[in-house]
Amino acid sequence: MGKRPTDWRKRFGGAKPPHVVMLHTDFAGVRAGNTMLISSPGDIANYLSRIPRGETRTIERLRNELARKAGAQAMCPVTTAIYLRVVAEVALRDLEEGKPIDQVTPFWRVVTPDSKVAKKLSCSPDHVAHLMALDNAPSASS
């Protein structure tokens, strides 16, 4: 296996800025003629960070809310899944390196243990469930 491990931080920082495109053909469930937001890992991380502690959102809600905010009719489901994974992997690396849970992007508020994205992460879906449980637990500061 000569494949090098992915540098998730590099992928996070190297993504194009969010932009809206007009679809000329149907794509991933979005109809031709619709405007579609291609977001960024940074925008998705900001969205995740604004979800209140202990709450979750669906990927569909994330896509709808970010698309509406950008003035688009839809958000690309393909790049959304890719960028959610990038954000999650950066957060997992931060946790591995000792960053406190309240200082990492709370990807588990959208990436639930049973999601397709969770199955692709470098951690197990059980670990995602553990992070969700920690997020729901009363903090020492409250």
Side-chain angles (χ1 to χ4, degrees), residues 108-126:
W108 52 86
R109 293 178 187 165
V110 169
V111 179
T112 56
D114 58 348
S115 69
K116 288 179 185 169
V117 175
K119 290 169 180 54
K120 294 180 178 181
L121 295 177
S122 60
C123 71
S124 69
D126 286 346

Side-chain angles (χ1 to χ4, degrees), residues 77-92:
V78 176
T79 55
T80 300
I82 292 167
Y83 292 157
L84 270 170
R85 180 171 182 203
V86 170
V87 169
E89 294 291 359
V90 169
L92 289 167

Side-chain angles (χ1 to χ4, degrees), residues 11 23 35 54 80 91-92 125 139:
R11 290 221 30 209
L23 290 184
T35 53
T80 300
L92 289 167
S139 68

Side-chain angles (χ1 to χ4, degrees), residues 10-116:
K10 193 172 178 182
R11 290 221 30 209
F12 187 105
K16 291 180 182 171
H19 56 286
V20 176
V21 297
M22 171 66 75
L23 290 184
H24 300 292
T25 57
D26 293 354
F27 177 76
V30 182
R31 312 280 294 142
N34 283 340
T35 53
M36 185 173 75
L37 169 66
I38 312 292
S39 193
S40 69
D43 264 13
I44 289 173
N46 287 336
Y47 177 92
L48 296 171
S49 294
R50 287 194 309 269
I51 299 170
R53 193 167 173 252
E55 290 185 24
T56 59
R57 301 286 185 271
T58 63
I59 290 175
E60 292 72 27
R61 181 171 172 184
L62 172 146
R63 287 179 49 216
N64 289 334
E65 290 180 3
L66 288 178
R68 195 169 54 245
K69 186 177 162 211
Q73 293 163 299
M75 181 168 157
C76 179
V78 176
T79 55
T80 300
I82 292 167
Y83 292 157
L84 270 170
R85 180 171 182 203
V86 170
V87 169
E89 294 291 359
V90 169
L92 289 167
R93 189 70 30 86
D94 286 346
L95 288 169
E96 264 175 37
E97 292 170 359
K99 232 183 200 184
I101 191 168
D102 63 350
Q103 290 179 24
V104 302
T105 303
F107 69 89
W108 52 86
R109 293 178 187 165
V110 169
V111 179
T112 56
D114 58 348
S115 69
K116 288 179 185 169

